[in-house]
Amino acid sequence: MTYVVLSSPPVLPEPPLPKLQGLRHTWTGWDGTVFDLSVPSAGVLLLKDGVTGMHMPEFDQYTDEHASVDGARYRGTRTRVRNPEWTLGIFGDTTPQWRARDAALWRTLHPSKPGLWTVTDSDGAGRTLTCRYRSSSELQYGRDPHKAGWSIYPVSLMAERPYWEGPPINSPVWGQDEAVNFTGPSDAAPDYYVSGATSIGSAAMENPGDVDASLIYTVRGVGTGLTSVSINAAGGSLGFGAVAAGSVLRINTDPTAPLATLNGVDVSGAVNPWDPRAIPAGETSPLAITMVGQGTVQASFVPRYFRAF
């Protein structure tokens, strides 16, 4: 008698990832349509030759000179508007397919409505540049793309905000959660909540970007609410009065768009002092937060970089 023993085949190891992997490019139009520009089968492809806009931006550097002093005195640097250049190929197996892909892409490129160019590396880290359409160099079709099923386009973009932006960085939520009834839930005495001052002196924010970062603070009143809150960061200070339970105070310290709102209503004039400071590029700044009452504070910002990777 012959016995046959059946067993599961050996499990083969996963094939190793290639040692060198390219970047993934996506374009998100103003209408939310997303194009993966790195997949040829998708029919809209970013041709890598001649792509600009991913490296360092251009700068204007200001100096003072005087006839009696050698050299010059450095005054500051300004980053210029960035003008990325693409070469796009649009392909289709049939005329209707090519026409649909061509129309869908060009619908998202608009001189007044910006979209997002995102570059993602092999580790999954991505950075985004906000761009709007600028020019296509008076393109002349050398052939009928409806008949050929493909066309190559030069595309010029404009990024008036010239920095690549990383994912938002959010601090922990600092402060006190809902107040605890001091007399206990079953005590016959009237409810009593402790609402003294809370000081947080060990908080800090790190800016990994290449550009100084202005923080956005979100202050929430909980329990019995806040009587006042003060924030000191990077040598600057902010102060505000009462934030009732359930209310949200949002302070944006960006010098190009400074604004404080309480439940959506502008209260910028009530922030006293208003003397914020940005976190210097590549540095960590301590934050000192003092709250009287029950509430929480969270800081956030979007890191900005010179390059796409």
Side-chain angles (χ1 to χ4, degrees), residues 16-151:
L17 292 174
K19 294 182 179 181
L20 299 175
Q21 301 180 57
L23 298 169
R24 179 189 175 195
H25 299 261
T26 58
W27 169 252
T28 304
W30 62 268
D31 60 353
T33 304
V34 179
F35 292 88
D36 191 331
L37 304 178
S38 300
V39 179
S41 60
V44 181
L45 186 65
L46 178 63
L47 305 178
K48 304 303 172 59
D49 293 342
V51 174
T52 67
M54 294 191 293
H55 194 50
M56 297 287 289
E58 294 185 345
F59 302 95
D60 289 323
Q61 294 174 309
Y62 297 91
T63 60
D64 287 341
E65 298 183 9
H66 193 274
S68 63
V69 179
D70 295 333
R73 185 174 185 179
Y74 174 75
R75 289 297 188 182
T77 297
R78 182 184 71 90
T79 307
R80 290 186 179 183
V81 169
R82 193 189 291 262
N83 294 306
E85 301 281 346
W86 288 352
T87 301
L88 287 177
I90 301 180
F91 308 90
D93 295 328
T94 65
T95 296
Q97 185 184 66
W98 179 87
R99 185 168 53 230
R101 289 173 174 174
D102 183 81
L105 173 72
W106 285 103
R107 190 179 301 115
T108 68
L109 293 167
H110 197 281
S112 301
K113 302 175 182 179
L116 301 176
W117 176 17
T118 302
V119 176
T120 307
D121 65 21
S122 58
D123 294 331
R127 295 178 184 175
T128 297
L129 185 69
T130 301
C131 304
R132 63 184 77 236
Y133 174 75
R134 181 166 168 263
S135 171
S136 195
S137 302
E138 295 293 335
L139 176 73
Q140 296 181 358
Y141 290 101
R143 66 191 62 80
D144 184 352
H146 295 76
K147 187 174 181 180
W150 63 274
S151 186

Side-chain angles (χ1 to χ4, degrees), residues 66-255:
H66 193 274
S68 63
V69 179
D70 295 333
R73 185 174 185 179
Y74 174 75
R75 289 297 188 182
T77 297
R78 182 184 71 90
T79 307
R80 290 186 179 183
V81 169
R82 193 189 291 262
N83 294 306
E85 301 281 346
W86 288 352
T87 301
L88 287 177
I90 301 180
F91 308 90
D93 295 328
T94 65
T95 296
Q97 185 184 66
W98 179 87
R99 185 168 53 230
R101 289 173 174 174
D102 183 81
L105 173 72
W106 285 103
R107 190 179 301 115
T108 68
L109 293 167
H110 197 281
S112 301
K113 302 175 182 179
L116 301 176
W117 176 17
T118 302
V119 176
T120 307
D121 65 21
S122 58
D123 294 331
R127 295 178 184 175
T128 297
L129 185 69
T130 301
C131 304
R132 63 184 77 236
Y133 174 75
R134 181 166 168 263
S135 171
S136 195
S137 302
E138 295 293 335
L139 176 73
Q140 296 181 358
Y141 290 101
R143 66 191 62 80
D144 184 352
H146 295 76
K147 187 174 181 180
W150 63 274
S151 186
I152 305 299
Y153 295 106
V155 177
S156 298
L157 304 172
M158 183 182 75
E160 65 266 27
R161 288 156 44 191
Y163 303 117
W164 288 86
E165 297 182 348
I169 293 177
N170 298 310
S171 75
V173 177
W174 298 304
Q176 296 181 346
D177 292 329
E178 296 288 345
V180 177
N181 186 358
F182 185 75
T183 62
S186 59
D187 196 284
D191 292 344
Y192 175 71
Y193 297 91
V194 176
S195 58
T198 300
S199 296
I200 300 146
S202 60
M205 290 290 286
E206 178 184 2
N207 176 13
D210 300 315
V211 184
D212 294 354
S214 298
L215 300 183
I216 296 175
Y217 297 98
T218 301
V219 182
R220 299 180 185 275
V222 300
T224 57
L226 288 168
T227 303
S228 65
V229 57
S230 64
I231 302 170
N232 295 274
S237 58
L238 297 164
F240 194 79
V243 180
S247 294
V248 178
L249 172 67
R250 187 175 184 270
I251 304 175
N252 184 354
T253 65
D254 184 345

